[in-house]
Amino acid sequence: RLIAGEVELDRDDRRRDLGMEVSRKLTIGILKQQAFADNSRTVEEEILFHCPHKDVSSRERFDYEREYDVLFTGFGFLKEDKKRRLFEFSGGEQTRIALIRLLLEKPDLLLLDEPTNHLDLEKTQWLEEYLREYPHAVIMVSHDRFFLDRIASKVIEIDQTKATVFAGNYSDYAAKKEQLRAAAMNAY
């Protein structure tokens, strides 16, 4: 929430070089717990309401709707589900629909907290493929180390208020962390 700009640093933490600074305005997308202001809309109404291209005959609108179809079916929905009202879906299904809306926004920085929570193996693998091709930065928190192994190119460990960046996936991080632990024990 700090990275998304939803909360500020605590008063005691307002020292130089803390927080997040960017050199340009970023669009930041975060999946919220309460994703829909009006769950009486149909899925299609909700998704198209957020479409930045209002001209229904434009190439951009066509591309947006095509990607919407790919994401919708990729997450296991049937095309006819687009006509259903949001309140008709389970909480997990609503989370997947909110994730579809977020992915369609293509923010510069995509923040995902446990993105595989409501996904079965097939949908998780589909999301892996999609995120590998995502054109911008993705920061995620996940306990699914297999997912992290297939997606991550960097792991940031936060320990005792200190962040350490490790290159590679989760397994690379775990191996390097063990090497550092062993070296510290030897030095001790």
Side-chain angles (χ1 to χ4, degrees), residues 5 13 23 35 50 154:
D13 292 334
S23 61
H50 291 279
K154 289 181 186 171

Side-chain angles (χ1 to χ4, degrees), residues 85-114:
R85 304 228 173 260
L86 291 165
F87 68 79
E88 296 176 43
F89 293 93
S90 70
E93 290 170 327
Q94 286 186 27
T95 299
R96 291 191 339 243
I97 293 166
L99 181 55
I100 290 167
R101 187 184 68 196
L102 182 61
L103 292 172
L104 284 167
E105 291 173 11
K106 297 251 187 284
D108 296 318
L109 182 56
L110 180 60
L111 303 173
L112 300 176
D113 185 5
E114 299 292 350

Side-chain angles (χ1 to χ4, degrees), residues 10 16 29-30 40 44 46 53 58 65 67 69 77 79 94 102-103 107-108 129 131 148 154 160 162 179-180 185:
D10 290 339
R16 255 178 95 66
I30 185 170
S40 67
E44 191 152 74
E46 176 67 21
H53 315 289
S58 72
E65 289 188 29
E67 182 154 10
D69 284 340
F77 293 103
K79 288 196 179 202
Q94 286 186 27
L102 182 61
L103 292 172
D108 296 318
E129 292 298 320
L131 290 177
L148 290 174
K154 289 181 186 171
Q160 303 293 326
K162 181 181 176 199
Q179 289 173 351
L180 292 171
M185 289 301 292

Side-chain angles (χ1 to χ4, degrees), residues 30-167:
I30 185 170
L31 191 59
K32 307 223 186 263
Q33 292 295 326
Q34 194 66 309
F36 303 111
D38 181 2
N39 69 355
S40 67
R41 286 183 178 159
T42 66
V43 174
E44 191 152 74
E45 289 169 343
E46 176 67 21
I47 298 294
L48 295 180
F49 176 80
H50 291 279
C51 178
H53 315 289
K54 300 306 178 195
D55 180 3
V56 295
S57 60
S58 72
R59 176 69 185 172
E60 293 82 8
R61 176 68 173 245
F62 175 79
D63 290 342
Y64 181 91
E65 289 188 29
R66 185 173 38 129
E67 182 154 10
Y68 162 40
D69 284 340
V70 168
L71 288 165
F72 199 67
T73 56
F75 275 110
F77 293 103
L78 303 173
K79 288 196 179 202
E80 49 268 20
D81 288 337
K82 291 179 178 183
K83 303 295 182 200
R84 291 175 54 200
R85 304 228 173 260
L86 291 165
F87 68 79
E88 296 176 43
F89 293 93
S90 70
E93 290 170 327
Q94 286 186 27
T95 299
R96 291 191 339 243
I97 293 166
L99 181 55
I100 290 167
R101 187 184 68 196
L102 182 61
L103 292 172
L104 284 167
E105 291 173 11
K106 297 251 187 284
D108 296 318
L109 182 56
L110 180 60
L111 303 173
L112 300 176
D113 185 5
E114 299 292 350
T116 61
N117 267 2
H118 299 285
L119 304 179
D120 60 20
L121 181 60
E122 181 181 323
K123 291 174 198 72
T124 297
Q125 290 171 334
W126 187 90
L127 181 60
E128 288 170 9
E129 292 298 320
Y130 186 86
L131 290 177
R132 274 195 210 108
E133 301 299 320
Y134 189 74
H136 305 293
V138 178
I139 295 178
M140 74 179 87
V141 174
S142 180
H143 290 91
D144 185 342
R145 62 187 173 104
F146 301 108
F147 183 74
L148 290 174
D149 266 347
R150 291 185 289 273
I151 298 296
S153 59
K154 289 181 186 171
V155 173
I156 302 172
E157 176 190 67
I158 302 173
D159 185 26
Q160 303 293 326
T161 71
K162 181 181 176 199
T164 306
V165 179
F166 294 85

